[in-house]
Structures are given as structure tokens and as C-alpha cells.
PDB file of all heavy atoms in Angstrom:
ATOM      1  N   THR A   1     -66.265  32.906-144.091  1.00  0.00           N
ATOM      2  CA  THR A   1     -67.178  31.824-144.494  1.00  0.00           C
ATOM      3  C   THR A   1     -68.398  32.442-145.196  1.00  0.00           C
ATOM      4  O   THR A   1     -68.748  33.589-144.981  1.00  0.00           O
ATOM      5  CB  THR A   1     -67.619  30.960-143.333  1.00  0.00           C
ATOM      6  OG1 THR A   1     -68.474  31.698-142.502  1.00  0.00           O
ATOM      7  CG2 THR A   1     -66.432  30.396-142.594  1.00  0.00           C
ATOM      8  N   SER A   2     -69.048  31.629-145.993  1.00  0.00           N
ATOM      9  CA  SER A   2     -70.382  31.991-146.526  1.00  0.00           C
ATOM     10  C   SER A   2     -71.414  31.572-145.493  1.00  0.00           C
ATOM     11  O   SER A   2     -71.156  30.870-144.509  1.00  0.00           O
ATOM     12  CB  SER A   2     -70.617  31.234-147.819  1.00  0.00           C
ATOM     13  OG  SER A   2     -70.582  29.868-147.619  1.00  0.00           O
ATOM     14  N   SER A   3     -72.683  31.970-145.739  1.00  0.00           N
ATOM     15  CA  SER A   3     -73.789  31.563-144.912  1.00  0.00           C
ATOM     16  C   SER A   3     -74.233  30.210-145.384  1.00  0.00           C
ATOM     17  O   SER A   3     -74.376  29.923-146.565  1.00  0.00           O
ATOM     18  CB  SER A   3     -74.942  32.516-144.982  1.00  0.00           C
ATOM     19  OG  SER A   3     -76.141  31.956-144.417  1.00  0.00           O
ATOM     20  N   ILE A   4     -74.509  29.310-144.400  1.00  0.00           N
ATOM     21  CA  ILE A   4     -74.981  27.954-144.729  1.00  0.00           C
ATOM     22  C   ILE A   4     -76.290  28.008-145.474  1.00  0.00           C
ATOM     23  O   ILE A   4     -76.629  27.063-146.204  1.00  0.00           O
ATOM     24  CB  ILE A   4     -75.050  27.072-143.445  1.00  0.00           C
ATOM     25  CG1 ILE A   4     -75.151  25.604-143.834  1.00  0.00           C
ATOM     26  CG2 ILE A   4     -76.188  27.529-142.584  1.00  0.00           C
ATOM     27  CD1 ILE A   4     -75.001  24.664-142.648  1.00  0.00           C
ATOM     28  N   HIS A   5     -77.057  29.087-145.319  1.00  0.00           N
ATOM     29  CA  HIS A   5     -78.408  29.123-145.865  1.00  0.00           C
ATOM     30  C   HIS A   5     -78.457  29.640-147.235  1.00  0.00           C
ATOM     31  O   HIS A   5     -79.463  29.511-147.960  1.00  0.00           O
ATOM     32  CB  HIS A   5     -79.280  30.029-144.960  1.00  0.00           C
ATOM     33  CG  HIS A   5     -79.310  29.570-143.535  1.00  0.00           C
ATOM     34  ND1 HIS A   5     -79.867  28.411-143.153  1.00  0.00           N
ATOM     35  CD2 HIS A   5     -78.830  30.181-142.425  1.00  0.00           C
ATOM     36  CE1 HIS A   5     -79.732  28.293-141.842  1.00  0.00           C
ATOM     37  NE2 HIS A   5     -79.102  29.337-141.357  1.00  0.00           N
ATOM     38  N   ASP A   6     -77.405  30.271-147.763  1.00  0.00           N
ATOM     39  CA  ASP A   6     -77.403  30.936-149.046  1.00  0.00           C
ATOM     40  C   ASP A   6     -76.267  30.419-149.885  1.00  0.00           C
ATOM     41  O   ASP A   6     -75.135  30.222-149.418  1.00  0.00           O
ATOM     42  CB  ASP A   6     -77.305  32.438-148.924  1.00  0.00           C
ATOM     43  CG  ASP A   6     -78.422  32.997-148.030  1.00  0.00           C
ATOM     44  OD1 ASP A   6     -79.585  32.682-148.293  1.00  0.00           O
ATOM     45  OD2 ASP A   6     -78.124  33.698-147.037  1.00  0.00           O
ATOM     46  N   PHE A   7     -76.497  30.331-151.218  1.00  0.00           N
ATOM     47  CA  PHE A   7     -75.423  29.947-152.178  1.00  0.00           C
ATOM     48  C   PHE A   7     -74.911  31.268-152.737  1.00  0.00           C
ATOM     49  O   PHE A   7     -75.648  32.150-153.132  1.00  0.00           O
ATOM     50  CB  PHE A   7     -75.979  29.071-153.243  1.00  0.00           C
ATOM     51  CG  PHE A   7     -74.898  28.657-154.245  1.00  0.00           C
ATOM     52  CD1 PHE A   7     -74.118  27.490-154.018  1.00  0.00           C
ATOM     53  CD2 PHE A   7     -74.656  29.369-155.403  1.00  0.00           C
ATOM     54  CE1 PHE A   7     -73.136  27.165-154.948  1.00  0.00           C
ATOM     55  CE2 PHE A   7     -73.695  29.077-156.314  1.00  0.00           C
ATOM     56  CZ  PHE A   7     -72.930  27.908-156.039  1.00  0.00           C
ATOM     57  N   SER A   8     -73.601  31.353-152.895  1.00  0.00           N
ATOM     58  CA  SER A   8     -72.949  32.497-153.557  1.00  0.00           C
ATOM     59  C   SER A   8     -71.672  32.096-154.287  1.00  0.00           C
ATOM     60  O   SER A   8     -71.108  31.022-153.981  1.00  0.00           O
ATOM     61  CB  SER A   8     -72.631  33.568-152.458  1.00  0.00           C
ATOM     62  OG  SER A   8     -71.805  33.036-151.452  1.00  0.00           O
ATOM     63  N   ALA A   9     -71.262  32.912-155.142  1.00  0.00           N
ATOM     64  CA  ALA A   9     -70.004  32.647-155.922  1.00  0.00           C
ATOM     65  C   ALA A   9     -69.359  33.970-156.276  1.00  0.00           C
ATOM     66  O   ALA A   9     -70.054  34.989-156.445  1.00  0.00           O
ATOM     67  CB  ALA A   9     -70.308  31.838-157.161  1.00  0.00           C
ATOM     68  N   GLY A  10     -68.062  33.980-156.389  1.00  0.00           N
ATOM     69  CA  GLY A  10     -67.369  35.188-156.791  1.00  0.00           C
ATOM     70  C   GLY A  10     -65.917  34.939-157.029  1.00  0.00           C
ATOM     71  O   GLY A  10     -65.308  33.996-156.593  1.00  0.00           O
ATOM     72  N   VAL A  11     -65.276  35.898-157.772  1.00  0.00           N
ATOM     73  CA  VAL A  11     -63.865  35.848-158.050  1.00  0.00           C
ATOM     74  C   VAL A  11     -63.083  36.285-156.859  1.00  0.00           C
ATOM     75  O   VAL A  11     -63.344  37.407-156.325  1.00  0.00           O
ATOM     76  CB  VAL A  11     -63.539  36.679-159.306  1.00  0.00           C
ATOM     77  CG1 VAL A  11     -62.008  36.743-159.502  1.00  0.00           C
ATOM     78  CG2 VAL A  11     -64.219  36.144-160.491  1.00  0.00           C
ATOM     79  N   ALA A  12     -62.152  35.505-156.340  1.00  0.00           N
ATOM     80  CA  ALA A  12     -61.279  35.819-155.222  1.00  0.00           C
ATOM     81  C   ALA A  12     -62.058  36.206-153.965  1.00  0.00           C
ATOM     82  O   ALA A  12     -61.570  36.923-153.087  1.00  0.00           O
ATOM     83  CB  ALA A  12     -60.314  36.966-155.626  1.00  0.00           C
ATOM     84  N   HIS A  13     -63.232  35.685-153.834  1.00  0.00           N
ATOM     85  CA  HIS A  13     -64.186  36.004-152.708  1.00  0.00           C
ATOM     86  C   HIS A  13     -64.163  34.886-151.663  1.00  0.00           C
ATOM     87  O   HIS A  13     -64.794  33.854-151.903  1.00  0.00           O
ATOM     88  CB  HIS A  13     -65.593  36.227-153.270  1.00  0.00           C
ATOM     89  CG  HIS A  13     -66.559  36.820-152.219  1.00  0.00           C
ATOM     90  ND1 HIS A  13     -66.186  36.965-150.927  1.00  0.00           N
ATOM     91  CD2 HIS A  13     -67.834  37.175-152.387  1.00  0.00           C
ATOM     92  CE1 HIS A  13     -67.267  37.481-150.309  1.00  0.00           C
ATOM     93  NE2 HIS A  13     -68.249  37.624-151.137  1.00  0.00           N
ATOM     94  N   ARG A  14     -63.460  35.116-150.523  1.00  0.00           N
ATOM     95  CA  ARG A  14     -63.360  34.080-149.522  1.00  0.00           C
ATOM     96  C   ARG A  14     -64.622  33.958-148.642  1.00  0.00           C
ATOM     97  O   ARG A  14     -64.664  33.080-147.767  1.00  0.00           O
ATOM     98  CB  ARG A  14     -62.097  34.289-148.668  1.00  0.00           C
ATOM     99  CG  ARG A  14     -60.830  34.156-149.492  1.00  0.00           C
ATOM    100  CD  ARG A  14     -59.571  34.249-148.688  1.00  0.00           C
ATOM    101  NE  ARG A  14     -58.415  34.090-149.546  1.00  0.00           N
ATOM    102  CZ  ARG A  14     -57.854  32.923-149.936  1.00  0.00           C
ATOM    103  NH1 ARG A  14     -58.378  31.794-149.453  1.00  0.00           N
ATOM    104  NH2 ARG A  14     -56.844  32.895-150.714  1.00  0.00           N
ATOM    105  N   GLY A  15     -65.549  34.836-148.852  1.00  0.00           N
ATOM    106  CA  GLY A  15     -66.770  34.736-148.129  1.00  0.00           C
ATOM    107  C   GLY A  15     -67.923  34.146-148.981  1.00  0.00           C
ATOM    108  O   GLY A  15     -69.091  34.247-148.645  1.00  0.00           O
ATOM    109  N   ALA A  16     -67.544  33.533-150.105  1.00  0.00           N
ATOM    110  CA  ALA A  16     -68.497  32.947-150.994  1.00  0.00           C
ATOM    111  C   ALA A  16     -68.532  31.421-150.894  1.00  0.00           C
ATOM    112  O   ALA A  16     -67.573  30.834-150.354  1.00  0.00           O
ATOM    113  CB  ALA A  16     -68.227  33.340-152.445  1.00  0.00           C
ATOM    114  N   SER A  17     -69.657  30.810-151.283  1.00  0.00           N
ATOM    115  CA  SER A  17     -69.696  29.327-151.285  1.00  0.00           C
ATOM    116  C   SER A  17     -68.715  28.806-152.254  1.00  0.00           C
ATOM    117  O   SER A  17     -67.996  27.817-151.958  1.00  0.00           O
ATOM    118  CB  SER A  17     -71.111  28.867-151.711  1.00  0.00           C
ATOM    119  OG  SER A  17     -72.090  29.473-150.896  1.00  0.00           O
ATOM    120  N   ILE A  18     -68.639  29.364-153.435  1.00  0.00           N
ATOM    121  CA  ILE A  18     -67.706  28.935-154.501  1.00  0.00           C
ATOM    122  C   ILE A  18     -66.816  30.147-154.848  1.00  0.00           C
ATOM    123  O   ILE A  18     -67.288  31.240-155.190  1.00  0.00           O
ATOM    124  CB  ILE A  18     -68.406  28.496-155.737  1.00  0.00           C
ATOM    125  CG1 ILE A  18     -69.446  27.355-155.426  1.00  0.00           C
ATOM    126  CG2 ILE A  18     -67.434  28.017-156.815  1.00  0.00           C
ATOM    127  CD1 ILE A  18     -68.830  26.110-154.959  1.00  0.00           C
ATOM    128  N   ARG A  19     -65.504  29.950-154.781  1.00  0.00           N
ATOM    129  CA  ARG A  19     -64.556  30.983-155.124  1.00  0.00           C
ATOM    130  C   ARG A  19     -63.857  30.600-156.457  1.00  0.00           C
ATOM    131  O   ARG A  19     -63.401  29.482-156.581  1.00  0.00           O
ATOM    132  CB  ARG A  19     -63.513  31.137-154.033  1.00  0.00           C
ATOM    133  CG  ARG A  19     -62.452  32.275-154.333  1.00  0.00           C
ATOM    134  CD  ARG A  19     -61.489  32.367-153.142  1.00  0.00           C
ATOM    135  NE  ARG A  19     -60.527  31.313-153.167  1.00  0.00           N
ATOM    136  CZ  ARG A  19     -59.297  31.381-153.684  1.00  0.00           C
ATOM    137  NH1 ARG A  19     -58.895  32.526-154.259  1.00  0.00           N
ATOM    138  NH2 ARG A  19     -58.469  30.376-153.596  1.00  0.00           N
ATOM    139  N   ILE A  20     -63.854  31.545-157.382  1.00  0.00           N
ATOM    140  CA  ILE A  20     -63.037  31.443-158.558  1.00  0.00           C
ATOM    141  C   ILE A  20     -61.690  32.133-158.279  1.00  0.00           C
ATOM    142  O   ILE A  20     -61.738  33.366-158.093  1.00  0.00           O
ATOM    143  CB  ILE A  20     -63.722  32.047-159.833  1.00  0.00           C
ATOM    144  CG1 ILE A  20     -65.086  31.332-160.091  1.00  0.00           C
ATOM    145  CG2 ILE A  20     -62.812  31.906-161.054  1.00  0.00           C
ATOM    146  CD1 ILE A  20     -65.862  31.975-161.227  1.00  0.00           C
ATOM    147  N   PRO A  21     -60.614  31.387-158.252  1.00  0.00           N
ATOM    148  CA  PRO A  21     -59.345  32.060-157.954  1.00  0.00           C
ATOM    149  C   PRO A  21     -59.027  33.138-159.004  1.00  0.00           C
ATOM    150  O   PRO A  21     -59.426  33.027-160.167  1.00  0.00           O
ATOM    151  CB  PRO A  21     -58.325  30.916-158.003  1.00  0.00           C
ATOM    152  CG  PRO A  21     -59.149  29.679-157.693  1.00  0.00           C
ATOM    153  CD  PRO A  21     -60.487  29.938-158.341  1.00  0.00           C
ATOM    154  N   ARG A  22     -58.331  34.179-158.559  1.00  0.00           N
ATOM    155  CA  ARG A  22     -58.001  35.305-159.433  1.00  0.00           C
ATOM    156  C   ARG A  22     -57.288  34.823-160.729  1.00  0.00           C
ATOM    157  O   ARG A  22     -57.595  35.292-161.832  1.00  0.00           O
ATOM    158  CB  ARG A  22     -57.106  36.307-158.686  1.00  0.00           C
ATOM    159  CG  ARG A  22     -56.695  37.499-159.547  1.00  0.00           C
ATOM    160  CD  ARG A  22     -57.810  38.528-159.727  1.00  0.00           C
ATOM    161  NE  ARG A  22     -58.286  39.101-158.485  1.00  0.00           N
ATOM    162  CZ  ARG A  22     -59.399  39.735-158.369  1.00  0.00           C
ATOM    163  NH1 ARG A  22     -60.209  39.909-159.452  1.00  0.00           N
ATOM    164  NH2 ARG A  22     -59.789  40.235-157.241  1.00  0.00           N
ATOM    165  N   GLY A  23     -56.333  33.936-160.517  1.00  0.00           N
ATOM    166  CA  GLY A  23     -55.582  33.495-161.700  1.00  0.00           C
ATOM    167  C   GLY A  23     -56.476  32.755-162.698  1.00  0.00           C
ATOM    168  O   GLY A  23     -56.242  32.811-163.908  1.00  0.00           O
ATOM    169  N   VAL A  24     -57.452  31.995-162.185  1.00  0.00           N
ATOM    170  CA  VAL A  24     -58.374  31.263-163.060  1.00  0.00           C
ATOM    171  C   VAL A  24     -59.200  32.292-163.937  1.00  0.00           C
ATOM    172  O   VAL A  24     -59.374  32.123-165.129  1.00  0.00           O
ATOM    173  CB  VAL A  24     -59.275  30.324-162.253  1.00  0.00           C
ATOM    174  CG1 VAL A  24     -60.409  29.748-163.134  1.00  0.00           C
ATOM    175  CG2 VAL A  24     -58.417  29.236-161.626  1.00  0.00           C
ATOM    176  N   ALA A  25     -59.650  33.320-163.243  1.00  0.00           N
ATOM    177  CA  ALA A  25     -60.464  34.333-163.948  1.00  0.00           C
ATOM    178  C   ALA A  25     -59.618  35.010-165.061  1.00  0.00           C
ATOM    179  O   ALA A  25     -60.152  35.300-166.139  1.00  0.00           O
ATOM    180  CB  ALA A  25     -60.991  35.347-162.977  1.00  0.00           C
ATOM    181  N   GLU A  26     -58.376  35.245-164.738  1.00  0.00           N
ATOM    182  CA  GLU A  26     -57.486  35.892-165.733  1.00  0.00           C
ATOM    183  C   GLU A  26     -57.108  34.976-166.880  1.00  0.00           C
ATOM    184  O   GLU A  26     -57.068  35.400-168.027  1.00  0.00           O
ATOM    185  CB  GLU A  26     -56.199  36.428-165.038  1.00  0.00           C
ATOM    186  CG  GLU A  26     -56.520  37.571-164.068  1.00  0.00           C
ATOM    187  CD  GLU A  26     -55.274  37.993-163.273  1.00  0.00           C
ATOM    188  OE1 GLU A  26     -54.252  37.308-163.405  1.00  0.00           O
ATOM    189  OE2 GLU A  26     -55.371  39.004-162.574  1.00  0.00           O
ATOM    190  N   ASP A  27     -56.847  33.689-166.537  1.00  0.00           N
ATOM    191  CA  ASP A  27     -56.530  32.725-167.611  1.00  0.00           C
ATOM    192  C   ASP A  27     -57.689  32.195-168.419  1.00  0.00           C
ATOM    193  O   ASP A  27     -57.558  31.564-169.427  1.00  0.00           O
ATOM    194  CB  ASP A  27     -55.747  31.562-166.958  1.00  0.00           C
ATOM    195  CG  ASP A  27     -54.412  31.950-166.410  1.00  0.00           C
ATOM    196  OD1 ASP A  27     -53.917  32.993-166.767  1.00  0.00           O
ATOM    197  OD2 ASP A  27     -53.873  31.178-165.570  1.00  0.00           O
ATOM    198  N   LYS A  28     -58.879  32.404-167.803  1.00  0.00           N
ATOM    199  CA  LYS A  28     -60.167  31.901-168.369  1.00  0.00           C
ATOM    200  C   LYS A  28     -60.146  30.372-168.480  1.00  0.00           C
ATOM    201  O   LYS A  28     -60.789  29.793-169.369  1.00  0.00           O
ATOM    202  CB  LYS A  28     -60.428  32.539-169.718  1.00  0.00           C
ATOM    203  CG  LYS A  28     -60.601  34.074-169.670  1.00  0.00           C
ATOM    204  CD  LYS A  28     -61.095  34.657-170.967  1.00  0.00           C
ATOM    205  CE  LYS A  28     -61.175  36.160-170.870  1.00  0.00           C
ATOM    206  NZ  LYS A  28     -62.005  36.654-169.742  1.00  0.00           N
ATOM    207  N   LYS A  29     -59.517  29.725-167.544  1.00  0.00           N
ATOM    208  CA  LYS A  29     -59.536  28.274-167.465  1.00  0.00           C
ATOM    209  C   LYS A  29     -58.943  27.819-166.141  1.00  0.00           C
ATOM    210  O   LYS A  29     -58.268  28.634-165.483  1.00  0.00           O
ATOM    211  CB  LYS A  29     -58.711  27.615-168.612  1.00  0.00           C
ATOM    212  CG  LYS A  29     -57.276  27.943-168.603  1.00  0.00           C
ATOM    213  CD  LYS A  29     -56.592  27.278-169.793  1.00  0.00           C
ATOM    214  CE  LYS A  29     -55.070  27.624-169.823  1.00  0.00           C
ATOM    215  NZ  LYS A  29     -54.369  26.977-170.943  1.00  0.00           N
ATOM    216  N   GLY A  30     -59.209  26.566-165.750  1.00  0.00           N
ATOM    217  CA  GLY A  30     -58.653  26.123-164.517  1.00  0.00           C
ATOM    218  C   GLY A  30     -59.615  25.303-163.632  1.00  0.00           C
ATOM    219  O   GLY A  30     -60.098  24.275-164.067  1.00  0.00           O
ATOM    220  N   TYR A  31     -60.011  25.879-162.488  1.00  0.00           N
ATOM    221  CA  TYR A  31     -60.782  25.130-161.535  1.00  0.00           C
ATOM    222  C   TYR A  31     -61.640  26.056-160.648  1.00  0.00           C
ATOM    223  O   TYR A  31     -61.450  27.287-160.709  1.00  0.00           O
ATOM    224  CB  TYR A  31     -59.876  24.310-160.634  1.00  0.00           C
ATOM    225  CG  TYR A  31     -58.913  25.129-159.758  1.00  0.00           C
ATOM    226  CD1 TYR A  31     -59.255  25.495-158.461  1.00  0.00           C
ATOM    227  CD2 TYR A  31     -57.701  25.590-160.292  1.00  0.00           C
ATOM    228  CE1 TYR A  31     -58.411  26.287-157.702  1.00  0.00           C
ATOM    229  CE2 TYR A  31     -56.872  26.328-159.495  1.00  0.00           C
ATOM    230  CZ  TYR A  31     -57.218  26.685-158.189  1.00  0.00           C
ATOM    231  OH  TYR A  31     -56.396  27.455-157.409  1.00  0.00           O
ATOM    232  N   LEU A  32     -62.506  25.468-159.906  1.00  0.00           N
ATOM    233  CA  LEU A  32     -63.314  26.243-158.891  1.00  0.00           C
ATOM    234  C   LEU A  32     -62.955  25.720-157.529  1.00  0.00           C
ATOM    235  O   LEU A  32     -62.512  24.600-157.362  1.00  0.00           O
ATOM    236  CB  LEU A  32     -64.797  26.132-159.149  1.00  0.00           C
ATOM    237  CG  LEU A  32     -65.451  24.744-159.119  1.00  0.00           C
ATOM    238  CD1 LEU A  32     -65.865  24.317-157.704  1.00  0.00           C
ATOM    239  CD2 LEU A  32     -66.703  24.699-160.046  1.00  0.00           C
ATOM    240  N   GLU A  33     -63.174  26.551-156.504  1.00  0.00           N
ATOM    241  CA  GLU A  33     -62.926  26.178-155.161  1.00  0.00           C
ATOM    242  C   GLU A  33     -64.255  26.146-154.382  1.00  0.00           C
ATOM    243  O   GLU A  33     -64.897  27.199-154.212  1.00  0.00           O
ATOM    244  CB  GLU A  33     -61.968  27.093-154.455  1.00  0.00           C
ATOM    245  CG  GLU A  33     -61.674  26.735-152.984  1.00  0.00           C
ATOM    246  CD  GLU A  33     -60.953  27.807-152.206  1.00  0.00           C
ATOM    247  OE1 GLU A  33     -61.237  29.007-152.462  1.00  0.00           O
ATOM    248  OE2 GLU A  33     -60.078  27.474-151.410  1.00  0.00           O
ATOM    249  N   ASP A  34     -64.654  24.987-153.888  1.00  0.00           N
ATOM    250  CA  ASP A  34     -65.846  24.863-153.047  1.00  0.00           C
ATOM    251  C   ASP A  34     -65.410  25.034-151.600  1.00  0.00           C
ATOM    252  O   ASP A  34     -64.674  24.236-151.077  1.00  0.00           O
ATOM    253  CB  ASP A  34     -66.508  23.484-153.271  1.00  0.00           C
ATOM    254  CG  ASP A  34     -67.934  23.444-152.725  1.00  0.00           C
ATOM    255  OD1 ASP A  34     -68.226  24.189-151.748  1.00  0.00           O
ATOM    256  OD2 ASP A  34     -68.737  22.658-153.222  1.00  0.00           O
ATOM    257  N   ARG A  35     -65.842  26.127-150.953  1.00  0.00           N
ATOM    258  CA  ARG A  35     -65.397  26.468-149.610  1.00  0.00           C
ATOM    259  C   ARG A  35     -66.338  25.958-148.569  1.00  0.00           C
ATOM    260  O   ARG A  35     -66.138  26.190-147.343  1.00  0.00           O
ATOM    261  CB  ARG A  35     -65.194  27.984-149.455  1.00  0.00           C
ATOM    262  CG  ARG A  35     -64.134  28.517-150.433  1.00  0.00           C
ATOM    263  CD  ARG A  35     -63.978  30.000-150.327  1.00  0.00           C
ATOM    264  NE  ARG A  35     -63.620  30.454-149.026  1.00  0.00           N
ATOM    265  CZ  ARG A  35     -62.358  30.482-148.509  1.00  0.00           C
ATOM    266  NH1 ARG A  35     -61.397  29.991-149.240  1.00  0.00           N
ATOM    267  NH2 ARG A  35     -62.137  30.909-147.295  1.00  0.00           N
ATOM    268  N   ARG A  36     -67.327  25.174-148.925  1.00  0.00           N
ATOM    269  CA  ARG A  36     -68.323  24.741-147.994  1.00  0.00           C
ATOM    270  C   ARG A  36     -67.990  23.478-147.146  1.00  0.00           C
ATOM    271  O   ARG A  36     -68.394  23.399-145.973  1.00  0.00           O
ATOM    272  CB  ARG A  36     -69.663  24.531-148.651  1.00  0.00           C
ATOM    273  CG  ARG A  36     -70.287  25.791-149.273  1.00  0.00           C
ATOM    274  CD  ARG A  36     -71.490  25.471-150.168  1.00  0.00           C
ATOM    275  NE  ARG A  36     -71.085  24.720-151.356  1.00  0.00           N
ATOM    276  CZ  ARG A  36     -71.917  24.264-152.224  1.00  0.00           C
ATOM    277  NH1 ARG A  36     -73.226  24.408-152.054  1.00  0.00           N
ATOM    278  NH2 ARG A  36     -71.519  23.606-153.304  1.00  0.00           N
TER     279      ARG A  36
END
């Protein structure tokens, strides 16, 4: 999980607030995952 106090984002990062899936980063299109 991410920290409730901080916002973060990253590719394939399951400890971030927002994760960009690896396939999305490679295709340069798709969706974002809000893990909060």
C-alpha cells in the first residue's frame, strides 16, 4: 500500500497511490489504477 498521507505514482508500482500498468506504459495508452 501507499501511505495515506502522501500521493505517489509509478509504473508497475504496487506501493504507489496510482499505478500505471507495465503494458500501458509500453503501449503508451490505456488506463490508470487508483489503489487507494
Side-chain angles (χ1 to χ4, degrees):
T1 68
S2 60
S3 168
I4 195 171
H5 304 294
D6 304 307
F7 181 88
S8 57
V11 174
H13 188 354
R14 295 185 181 275
S17 307
I18 306 294
R19 182 178 75 98
I20 300 175
R22 178 73 64 194
V24 171
E26 292 174 352
D27 294 343
K28 299 189 182 304
K29 63 180 179 180
Y31 64 95
L32 60 85
E33 178 191 39
D34 194 332
R35 297 179 59 82
R36 295 171 294 174

